[in-house]
Amino acid sequence: MKELVFLLEEESAKAMLEGLLPRILNPQIRPRLIPFEGKQDLEKQLTKRLRRYVNPHARFIILRDQDSAPDCKAVKAKLVEHCLYAGQAAKSLVRIACKELETFYLADLNAVEQGLTLKKLTNLQASERFRNPDRLGNPSKELDALTKGEYQKVSSSRAIAKHLDPANTRSASFKNLIAGIRRMEGELLATQDANQA
């Protein structure tokens, strides 16, 4: 079975991917979404979960928020170490949402507007602060203010994700996530073709 396994910091990332993946992932690949209870829980269990995963054809994407960590490269390097310890580094990819998952939504205000049935948010996309939302210090607070308290982490992630544009490049971390999914999808399909040859 061709399986793309997502090891996620929290439930809201799972909700987001549930809405996004059916629109971008090849139907021959089965996604499996495993949320943890925060970044500490993810880091504590990651090596063990990767090491014990039984499907030899699986590929893994680990997704975590940068949050207040000063350097997203250091956060990524630490997670890559877990993949190495588990013996799954060649089959794993780490992606960091700079600074938070909500950055993806602020990069696509049209999706927020449609998902939460709000008005006049899309017009704000051209403003300087939302042209490159990866630079924002507290994206979840920005999104809460922008939606006047309508944003709820899990349910809103689910609603917004159905409208996210996978080709959106305003958030480099979202662009890198999509590119990573495409890369792992390509690897899985290539192994399938090799096995059938």
Side-chain angles (χ1 to χ4, degrees):
M1 180 193 330
K2 302 301 174 190
E3 206 176 16
L4 186 52
V5 182
F6 292 83
L7 298 137
L8 309 163
E9 176 183 337
E10 58 194 1
E11 197 68 38
S12 59
K14 179 183 179 197
M16 184 269 295
L17 288 168
E18 285 172 339
L20 181 65
L21 290 175
R23 296 186 292 122
I24 66 169
L25 199 59
N26 186 302
Q28 296 176 47
I29 296 171
R30 177 178 173 247
R32 181 158 184 217
L33 308 173
I34 304 172
F36 291 84
E37 295 179 15
K39 55 185 172 283
Q40 287 87 6
D41 186 41
L42 170 64
E43 289 181 15
K44 181 180 175 184
Q45 295 193 51
L46 184 57
T47 302
K48 180 175 66 174
R49 292 299 284 269
L50 286 170
R51 189 176 285 145
R52 293 184 179 173
Y53 207 80
V54 293
N55 182 351
H57 304 291
R59 295 291 186 277
F60 305 94
I61 295 180
I62 298 98
L63 177 61
R64 200 206 112 160
D65 288 354
Q66 178 184 354
D67 291 325
S68 59
D71 182 10
C72 63
K73 289 181 181 174
V75 173
K76 183 177 179 177
K78 188 173 181 184
L79 292 170
V80 168
E81 275 184 33
H82 286 283
C83 299
L84 285 165
Y85 294 144
Q88 295 284 20
K91 295 180 177 182
S92 301
L93 191 65
V94 175
R95 288 294 178 250
I96 307 298
C98 303
K99 297 274 188 180
E100 299 171 321
L101 186 69
E102 285 79 8
T103 303
F104 300 171
Y105 310 152
L106 292 172
D108 194 346
L109 292 178
N110 182 51
V112 176
E113 186 176 295
Q114 289 182 57
L116 302 184
T117 59
L118 299 170
K119 294 186 190 312
K120 299 182 180 176
L121 292 184
T122 304
N123 299 339
L124 299 173
Q125 196 74 72
S127 70
E128 188 175 339
R129 75 184 306 112
F130 300 121
R131 281 196 302 256
N132 184 0
D134 284 3
R135 294 181 184 168
L136 294 172
N138 193 336
S140 55
K141 187 176 177 182
E142 291 274 351
L143 192 56
D144 186 58
L146 199 62
T147 62
K148 297 179 172 52
E150 291 290 314
Y151 177 73
Q152 302 296 316
K153 222 164 172 43
V154 177
S155 61
S156 296
S157 289
R158 188 170 289 114
I160 293 167
K162 294 174 187 172
H163 304 281
L164 283 173
D165 177 5
N168 185 341
T169 59
R170 286 183 203 96
S171 163
S173 55
F174 180 71
K175 177 184 170 186
N176 290 336
L177 173 64
I178 297 297
I181 292 169
R182 300 263 190 240
R183 180 175 133 198
M184 291 308 219
E185 175 185 57
E187 286 184 18
L188 283 166
L189 293 172
T191 58
Q192 179 177 329
D193 292 343
N195 291 340
Q196 290 174 349

